[in-house]
Each structure stands twice: as C-alpha cells, then as structure tokens.
Amino acid sequence: VLPSIHPPEIAGRQLHSLCDGVGRIGLVVVANCAFCGLAPVEAFLAPKFGIGALSYLGYSQRLIIAMGAVIVAGPLVLLVPAVAQACVENDARRVLSLSAKSIGTVSVLGALAALIFGVLRVPLIRLVLQHGAFDPRTTEGVAATLPWMLAGSVAMLGTQIAFRALYGQNHHVFPAIAGALVPCLYFTLGLLLGHAIGFQGICVAYAASWWLVFAAVLFRLYGLSARAFTALAIEQVRS
C-alpha cells in the first residue's frame, strides 16, 4: 500500500478543498455578527445608565436566545437541504415557497411565544432566575427591558431563518451585509434613542434594528410583493 501513497498529491487536493470554501465561511462569520456582535454595542451603551443596566440587557438576551433555540431548531435543520435540493432541480417557486413557509411559521411561533413571555415575564423570571444575588429588584430590571426586546426577537428569528434560505441558494454576500448592518444600526439608534428617552431607548433600538434588517432580507427574497410572500406561505400551510 505504501508505494501507492503520494503525500504531496494528497496534501495538494486537501489544501484546495480547504481553500475552496474559505470565502463563503468568512461571509458566514460576518453574517453571524448580527447575533454575536450586539454585546459589544451594549457594553458601550448601557453603563452610562447606571449599575445593573448592562446585566439587565444580558439576561434579556439570554432568555430570548433560549426561547428562540426551541422555535428555530427544526426549521434550521430541514430548510437548507430542502432549498438546496430545489435549487439543484431549478425549481425557483419551490425555493420561495419553502422559504416563505419556514419564515412564516417561525415568525408566528415567535410572536406567540413573545406574547406569552411578555405577559408572564415577571413570574417566569422570578421562577427561573431569582436565586441568590438575583433579587426582586433585578427581576424588575430585567422584566422592564423585555417588551421591546421580545418584539425585536420575532424579527431576529425570522431573519435567522431567512439567512438559511439564502445559504441554501448559495447566496452569502447579502447575509454578510445584513449581519454587519445589525450592530451598526443598533449602535446608531441606541445612541440617538438612549439620549432621547433613556435606558429604554436601547431596547427600542434593538427592536427597530432587527425589524429594519428583517424587512430588507424579505425584500431581497421576495421583492416588493408582500402579497406573494403571504400567498406562498398560505399555499405551503395548506399543502
């Protein structure tokens, strides 16, 4: 067996394989700034509003991530292979239909979860987090941030699914642009609204940033035709 092994040739093929996807990987990393690049913005904006402000935002983000992980787990696994297969078959309508169904389902489930969590946020936070140094004052502080953060989480979950729909079509540039735009919008709106209305301005900026980017991603997928998106989603639900 040993004489048939040619290390330079094998290494060359492997190196080419590794380098072939490095550009797409880089774009995906930039796109993920939409989800992991918000903490540095909050670290800059929140401390000026007093002790605990940054912790309130951090706890809110963790609660939203926990909620979102349950809602998007299934669609994330199923959507990309299905969209990629439809692209291979050159079935553009099915690509849009699958995307609309997944985005619509996740958005509706996210809205319902956000509504329930928003109404019951104080007892739920008390049950899950209020232990040890996490006292009633901290519970009230986290609960105060959640209404606007939960409103933004619906758009965040929809954007996450829309990114996967674009990846399934081998589109990586637009998600990268959108991913870099989220923290930039969050920072800019947070500065403006924080100065205008105080700490709650950061929470409003979170919601506004996600909804603006979500609208841009939907425009990228479906153009100006909101009716087409709705029709495709209804068609998939009925089927």
Side-chain angles (χ1 to χ4, degrees), residues 188-210:
T188 304
L189 294 175
L191 278 178
L192 295 174
L193 295 175
H195 179 74
I197 60 177
F199 178 62
Q200 282 295 318
I202 300 177
C203 306
V204 176
Y206 177 87
S209 300
W210 275 116

Side-chain angles (χ1 to χ4, degrees), residues 43-181:
F44 179 84
L45 295 176
K48 67 182 68 175
F49 295 104
I51 297 173
L54 181 59
S55 295
Y56 299 155
L57 292 173
Y59 278 112
S60 296
Q61 292 277 16
R62 283 165 176 77
L63 291 169
I64 288 170
I65 290 169
M67 179 189 76
V70 176
I71 294 171
V72 304
L76 282 183
V77 172
L78 299 174
L79 180 61
V80 174
V83 169
Q85 181 62 36
C87 286
V88 170
E89 296 170 356
N90 201 26
D91 189 347
R93 181 171 179 80
R94 178 166 170 75
V95 170
L96 295 179
S97 297
L98 287 167
S99 304
K101 179 182 179 180
S102 300
I103 294 169
T105 300
V106 166
S107 297
V108 169
L109 291 176
L112 289 174
L115 179 62
I116 295 170
F117 198 6
V119 172
L120 301 176
R121 63 188 185 277
V122 173
L124 287 174
I125 293 171
R126 188 182 297 127
L127 175 66
V128 174
L129 297 176
Q130 191 171 309
H131 309 286
F134 198 105
D135 56 20
R137 182 182 63 84
T138 313
T139 296
E140 292 175 5
V142 175
T145 67
L146 274 174
W148 281 107
M149 303 287 278
L150 287 169
S153 73
V154 179
M156 183 266 288
L157 297 177
T159 302
Q160 193 172 4
I161 296 296
F163 278 7
R164 298 308 192 278
L166 289 167
Y167 294 153
Q169 300 173 64
N170 204 28
H171 298 322
H172 295 82
V173 174
F174 188 86
I177 295 171
L181 187 60

Side-chain angles (χ1 to χ4, degrees), residues 3-31:
S4 66
I5 297 175
H6 305 286
E9 182 181 345
I10 295 173
R13 286 201 303 268
Q14 295 299 323
L15 183 62
H16 176 75
S17 176
L18 286 171
C19 295
D20 184 49
V22 73
R24 291 191 296 274
I25 293 171
L27 291 172
V28 172
V29 169
V30 175

